[in-house]
């Protein structure tokens, strides 16, 4: 049985694509009995063993564990097909970037050796090419910027110098410490969830409109944008296709969402950063720091339960060179959370908390204040202007 309306593969489907899925799961390192095509009578069937293997892979990658090989799972599987050294890696202008676990491994080696300062995003972009070329010149081989067999062999000779010191994290923090504390002049990108599923518990307090993720996230985003612009920051929507790879990148990306679950008891706020779900290892240390600050400020200033800070491999957090934080402001399927999010005064408190967390991200250690103590007037001290005027957000 196939589902002609989508590209997903799910339990009980039957096609040659299931054979390819089995092989991809094996190459991705998923050990499962009766998964190999030659170990079963009909490898074209998406059986219980394939379902279990897909779920195991999704769990290992921080994806939604549903047993369906949808676009996100298939994209992650494609990136997991290569080990470092399996293929040449190169950057070709005007061509889609090469992606994969082997690229991420290369970036980790380059970072530990001190040649790469970007995020470990598994994408062979122009910064990775420059890092490879610099490494090659230091190893005495032509600085082509292409990671080929000769480069891998040369790297293996200095492999003992590679250590899990997360040099990229140290460099990120060094750049952060050297930067000004002011928000003025920074570029912040804001993105919002778009779901229009209405809460069954309440409508928006002032307008009476259905309470949806789109309404709540957009309203909070507009309030955050208004405050940030008052302090001189530029606020834009992130366009992955509109940025020159060597141009000045935004300082921070913030994704604002609401959650929904069939279990009405589920409630609370959570924050996310780009990292490994299995270990919590950050791949974006500044994103992790921003997530910690935001969940602390939100928990201190609201009566919402904190569900903590979590590492995820979502594409929305995996923006090349840009620290990114995701925030879930509560469950619209929960009575208490929905009623709080329906209140514009509460949403203003949420927006204030986000801005204060962003400001704290850029404060030097001696300038920082305990969680929940800074107010927006304090933020003004770090963002002086000839004419500074607060605008009410209500």
């Amino acid at each position: 049985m196939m589902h002609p309306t989508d590209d997903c593969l799910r339990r009980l489907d039957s096609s040659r694509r299931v054979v390819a899925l089995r092989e991809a799961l094996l190459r991705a390192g998923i050990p499962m009995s009766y998964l190999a095509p030659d170990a079963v009578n009909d490898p074209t069937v998406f059986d219980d063993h394939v379902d279990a293997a897909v779920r195991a892979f999704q769990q290992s990658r921080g994806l939604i564990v549903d047993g369906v090989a949808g676009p996100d799972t298939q994209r992650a599987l494609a990136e997991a097909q290569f080990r470092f050294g399996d293929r040449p890696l190169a950057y070709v202008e005007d061509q889609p970037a090469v992606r994969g676990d082997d690229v991420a491994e290369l970036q980790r080696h380059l970072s530990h050796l001190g040649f790469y300062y970007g995020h470990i995003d598994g994408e062979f972009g122009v910064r990775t090419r420059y890092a490879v070329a610099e490494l090659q010149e230091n190893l005495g081989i032509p600085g082509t910027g292409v990671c080929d067999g000769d480069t891998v062999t040369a790297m293996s000779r200095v492999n003992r110098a590679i250590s899990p010191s997360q040099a990229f994290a140290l460099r990120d923090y060094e750049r952060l410490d050297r930067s000004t504390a002011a928000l003025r002049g920074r570029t912040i990108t804001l993105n919002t969830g778009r779901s229009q599923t209405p809460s069954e518990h309440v409508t928006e307090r002032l307008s009476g409109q259905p309470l949806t993720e789109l309404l709540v996230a957009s309203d909070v985003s507009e309030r955050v944008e208004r405050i940030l612009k008052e302090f001189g920051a530029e606020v834009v929507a992130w366009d992955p296709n509109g940025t020159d790879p060597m141009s000045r990148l935004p300082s921070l990306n913030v994704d604002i969402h609401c959650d929904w679950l069939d279990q009405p008891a589920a409630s609370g706020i959570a924050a996310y950063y780009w990292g490994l779900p299995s270990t919590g290892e950050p791949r974006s240390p500044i994103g992790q720091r921003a997530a910690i600050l935001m969940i602390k400020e939100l928990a201190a200033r609201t009566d919402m339960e904190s569900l903590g800070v979590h590492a995820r491999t979502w594409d929305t957090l995996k923006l090349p060179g840009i620290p990114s934080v995701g925030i879930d402001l509560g469950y619209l399927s929960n009575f208490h959370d929905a009623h709080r999010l329906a209140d514009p005064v509460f949403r203003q408190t949420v927006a204030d908390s986000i801005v204060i967390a962003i400001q704290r991200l850029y404060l030097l250690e001696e300038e920082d204040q305990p969680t929940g103590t800074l107010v927006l007037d304090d933020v003004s001290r770090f963002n002086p202007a000839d004419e500074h005027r607060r605008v009410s957000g209500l």
Side-chain angles (χ1 to χ4, degrees):
M1 178 178 67
M2 284 296 296
H3 300 261
T5 58
D6 59 40
D7 292 328
C8 300
L9 287 170
R10 44 175 68 80
R11 190 173 179 276
L12 300 183
D13 281 350
S14 179
S15 80
R16 290 293 303 172
R17 293 174 58 208
V18 177
V19 180
L21 175 62
R22 289 174 178 270
E23 294 171 342
L25 287 164
L26 288 170
R27 286 194 298 270
I30 300 299
M32 192 71 61
S33 300
Y34 304 106
L35 180 61
D38 59 0
V40 294
N41 292 329
D42 189 352
T44 66
V45 175
F46 195 121
D47 57 20
D48 290 343
H49 303 289
V50 178
D51 179 85
V54 169
R55 291 176 186 272
F57 177 77
Q58 291 170 328
Q59 181 70 37
S60 70
R61 294 288 168 139
L63 301 168
I64 295 175
V65 181
D66 57 7
V68 176
D72 290 344
T73 299
Q74 292 182 33
R75 182 166 55 250
L77 268 172
E79 294 179 5
Q81 298 304 294
F82 296 97
R83 297 291 179 266
F84 182 54
D86 284 354
R87 57 177 175 168
L89 300 172
Y91 172 81
V92 181
E93 193 172 356
D94 298 327
Q95 294 291 326
V98 176
R99 299 183 61 91
D101 286 4
D102 54 342
V103 180
E105 185 67 17
L106 168 65
Q107 290 172 331
R108 279 193 290 272
H109 291 329
L110 292 169
S111 174
H112 296 155
L113 291 170
F115 294 98
Y116 180 74
Y117 63 87
H119 291 171
I120 312 299
D121 57 11
E123 179 175 307
F124 199 105
V126 65
R127 286 180 173 81
T128 306
R129 180 185 68 180
Y130 290 154
V132 170
E134 186 179 358
L135 171 67
Q136 290 168 328
E137 291 171 358
N138 278 267
L139 292 175
I141 59 179
T144 62
V146 176
C147 185
D148 53 15
D150 290 341
T151 304
V152 173
T153 300
M155 288 181 69
S156 68
R157 292 197 293 266
V158 296
N159 191 55
R160 291 184 179 181
I162 298 174
S163 64
S165 59
Q166 291 194 334
F168 74 95
L170 299 177
R171 279 188 288 277
D172 265 3
Y173 277 113
E174 182 181 10
R175 288 160 56 209
L176 187 68
D177 288 342
R178 289 180 177 179
S179 65
T180 174
L183 297 175
R184 184 170 303 281
R186 295 186 185 276
T187 299
I188 308 294
T189 58
L190 297 175
N191 293 298
T192 60
R194 312 301 294 177
S195 172
Q196 299 191 56
T197 302
S199 172
E200 299 177 354
H201 301 294
V202 66
T203 58
E204 202 280 329
R205 186 73 56 84
L206 291 180
S207 66
Q209 297 180 21
L211 191 70
T212 65
E213 179 188 52
L214 176 61
L215 186 154
V216 172
S218 296
D219 182 70
V220 170
S221 176
E222 289 169 3
R223 294 170 187 271
V224 170
E225 178 177 357
R226 186 159 51 242
I227 301 170
L228 287 173
K229 285 184 174 179
E230 291 175 32
F231 292 128
E234 180 183 5
V235 181
V236 298
W238 168 242
D239 178 7
N241 299 314
T243 302
D244 186 319
M246 292 306 292
S247 66
R248 183 171 178 270
L249 291 172
S251 301
L252 182 70
N253 174 72
V254 182
D255 271 4
I256 302 173
H257 295 269
C258 297
D259 216 331
W260 187 285
L261 200 62
D262 290 337
Q263 298 294 332
S267 66
I269 53 176
Y272 304 91
Y273 63 93
W274 178 28
L276 299 181
S278 56
T279 63
E281 176 189 342
R283 294 296 174 83
S284 173
I286 304 306
Q288 181 193 38
R289 172 65 175 161
I292 292 171
L293 289 172
M294 287 193 187
I295 200 68
K296 285 184 173 181
E297 291 294 337
L298 286 165
R301 297 167 189 272
T302 71
D303 60 351
M304 302 284 271
E305 180 182 358
S306 172
L307 302 179
V309 176
H310 309 278
R312 292 292 184 269
T313 56
W314 300 333
D315 285 349
T316 52
L317 301 175
K318 196 177 179 181
L319 304 183
I322 305 174
S324 187
V325 55
I327 312 171
D328 275 342
L329 298 179
Y331 287 78
L332 296 181
S333 50
N334 176 266
F335 180 87
H336 171 266
D337 288 6
H339 274 268
R340 300 301 283 135
L341 293 168
D343 183 355
V345 176
F346 179 82
R347 296 198 297 272
Q348 185 62 44
T349 300
V350 169
D352 292 350
S353 302
I354 292 173
V355 171
I356 289 171
I358 294 174
Q359 176 62 87
R360 288 188 63 195
L361 180 65
Y362 300 114
L363 295 181
L364 297 176
E365 184 176 353
E366 60 269 21
E367 297 172 324
D368 199 8
Q369 302 294 319
T371 297
T373 61
L374 278 179
V375 296
L376 290 183
D377 285 341
D378 295 324
V379 177
S380 303
R381 294 189 289 109
F382 304 105
N383 299 274
D386 293 336
E387 296 182 3
H388 175 74
R389 181 173 60 90
R390 282 296 318 283
V391 179
S392 173
L394 301 181

